[in-house]
Amino acid sequence: MLRRALLALALLAAPAAAQEGPVTSERATFRVTTFATGLERPWGAVFLPDGTMLVTERPGRLRRIGTDGRVSAPLGGVPQVDANGQGGLLDIALAPDFARTREVFLCQSALVEGGSLTRLVVARLSPATDALTGVRRIIDAGPPQESGRLHYGCRIVFGPEGHIFLSTGERNERARAQRLDDLAGKVLRLTRDGRVPPDNPFVGRADARPEIWSYGHRHPQGLAFNPWTGSLWEAEFGPRGGDEINVIRRGANYGWPVVSHGREYWGPRISREVSAPGMEDPIHVWVPSVSPSGITFYDGAAFPGWRGSLFAAAQSTPGLVRLTTDGDRVTGEERLFWGKIAFRHQVVGPDGRLYLLTDENEGRILRLDPA
């Protein structure tokens, strides 16, 4: 049963450290701290081994945030992005062996001949200059599209075997999600240097791109491995309703736009069907929409009651969703900060606290501390 925690957050505007008074939710009591300010549309974040944080800003900047919350000047060497519409500098991930290689992976929208597309690049974070060096393109999720700057997807995760999984949106051209000769509206799987693993599902098919791991996605901005089952979970925006949480399976078709729980923005249903043979059903659906962006499994020690939860940053209605899980099932839902503030992503810190990226022009990072 849907359960909501409507939290009073008037104090969030204050540039203070810890806010007054604890907040009690279903399985935890916490305080909200404004950890960092002065960011413009923060989108992705990772913690470095020294406890500092790298954060992307959608207009095309990369910042380092100290353990005290101080925000650096923009780092040098960041590749040029097409920061129009929903595009820009989007997700960031560290190589599993970052401590040795210093490799950082970035997902962005890029302008090329023929239009714009989702691009994955890798670079090295210089320990001497704190700038990116040796930027190299891994893959362009083409073909490029001239019209519109929507639905780039652009979330990156590393699998347990070291391969990269990248989500791509269908660029608001629905038919692209079902086309296997097109990398839009997909989850892709690559080696870290951009090669195709030989066990990808469409290797050897002349009518399909071998980078594809799954297809039939609309606008997937959430991607995370379940640390307890090892499965890959994905969140994607529906139109009016029909937001989904999916468990991603090798070679599977997730249906967009052939099946959907959503409606056109002007009213009628997208599809008569919400399920069809040969297409995977979502494990959780939102009608009406919450517009889920980044997703994060919580396995920290700071909030024992939240272990096993999946957090989803919500855009509309703005807030934070916490899903309880049992294996690869969703068993419950709690809504925090509901109707108060939109979030783009959240990450678990080395201290087990939850760090929330607000989707604002005057963006902040909020930290949830145990109370």
Side-chain angles (χ1 to χ4, degrees):
M1 182 175 66
L2 179 64
R3 307 175 75 179
R4 301 187 180 188
L6 301 178
L7 306 179
L9 297 173
L11 291 170
L12 285 178
Q19 307 293 340
E20 294 180 10
V23 176
T24 300
S25 67
E26 289 179 5
R27 295 191 181 181
T29 301
F30 59 88
R31 297 178 187 272
V32 182
T33 297
T34 302
F35 175 67
T37 60
L39 298 163
E40 184 178 1
R41 298 286 170 183
W43 213 96
V46 290
F47 277 95
L48 297 174
D50 64 1
T52 64
M53 191 185 234
L54 292 180
V55 177
T56 61
E57 294 177 289
R58 192 162 61 81
R61 294 179 293 271
L62 179 65
R63 311 259 192 181
R64 187 195 284 260
I65 300 180
T67 55
D68 59 358
R70 294 193 179 188
V71 178
S72 75
L75 275 59
V78 175
Q80 185 175 357
V81 304
D82 181 26
N84 293 296
Q86 295 174 345
L89 185 61
L90 303 175
D91 203 18
I92 182 170
L94 299 183
D97 57 357
F98 172 84
R100 178 177 63 85
T101 64
R102 307 286 294 179
E103 283 189 341
V104 177
F105 290 78
L106 294 165
C107 187
Q108 62 171 103
S109 58
L111 194 60
V112 299
E113 184 177 354
S116 65
L117 44 69
T118 300
R119 171 177 287 175
L120 178 68
V121 303
V122 63
R124 182 174 180 272
L125 181 65
S126 169
T129 64
D130 215 23
L132 298 184
T133 62
V135 176
R136 180 171 57 87
R137 182 181 64 190
I138 297 293
I139 193 169
D140 281 350
Q145 183 174 306
E146 187 64 49
S147 62
R149 295 293 189 269
L150 303 174
H151 298 187
Y152 289 96
C154 233
R155 199 63 72 180
I156 314 163
V157 294
F158 278 89
E161 74 293 326
H163 294 333
I164 299 169
F165 291 81
L166 172 71
S167 68
T168 69
E170 37 75 294
R171 302 301 317 287
N172 204 32
E173 292 288 342
R174 296 172 183 175
R176 298 188 68 180
Q178 290 294 319
R179 292 187 56 171
L180 290 177
D181 61 349
D182 189 319
L183 294 183
K186 310 298 190 295
V187 173
L188 310 180
R189 179 177 181 252
L190 300 163
T191 66
R192 60 189 284 172
D193 59 0
R195 291 177 293 112
V196 174
D199 59 341
N200 271 14
F202 300 106
V203 168
R205 278 185 52 169
D207 62 339
R209 292 289 299 264
E211 302 93 342
I212 296 171
W213 186 253
S214 65
Y215 65 107
H217 301 293
R218 183 176 183 264
H219 186 23
Q221 284 191 6
L223 211 56
F225 274 93
N226 185 326
W228 296 279
T229 68
S231 59
L232 179 61
W233 287 38
E234 175 254 19
E236 64 183 80
F237 291 71
R240 278 183 61 197
D243 302 336
E244 298 178 359
I245 297 286
N246 293 296
V247 174
I248 300 299
R249 307 189 192 282
R250 179 183 183 275
N253 181 355
Y254 288 81
W256 176 258
V258 180
V259 295
S260 175
H261 290 260
R263 293 182 175 273
E264 303 285 5
Y265 290 104
W266 57 91
R269 292 193 60 87
I270 298 291
S271 168
R272 286 182 165 183
E273 307 298 331
V274 297
S275 185
M279 295 183 179
E280 294 287 323
D281 293 332
I283 63 168
H284 194 70
V285 177
W286 286 283
V287 179
S289 289
V290 302
S291 301
S293 186
I295 58 173
T296 304
F297 281 97
Y298 184 80
D299 60 354
F303 298 102
W306 282 351
R307 284 184 59 84
S309 296
L310 179 75
F311 285 90
Q315 302 265 295
S316 177
T317 300
L320 181 68
V321 179
R322 185 182 67 84
L323 300 176
T324 55
T325 69
D326 180 7
D328 282 332
R329 297 187 306 115
V330 172
T331 57
E333 179 174 332
E334 180 182 23
R335 298 183 176 185
L336 308 171
F337 310 106
W338 208 244
K340 301 296 183 182
I341 187 167
F343 296 103
R344 179 62 67 182
H345 194 34
Q346 61 286 307
V347 291
V348 180
D351 53 8
R353 290 165 167 82
L354 202 62
Y355 293 75
L356 313 176
L357 280 61
T358 70
D359 188 33
E360 304 170 298
N361 286 331
E362 297 182 6
R364 297 165 286 164
I365 297 178
L366 307 180
R367 188 180 69 206
L368 305 190
D369 300 318

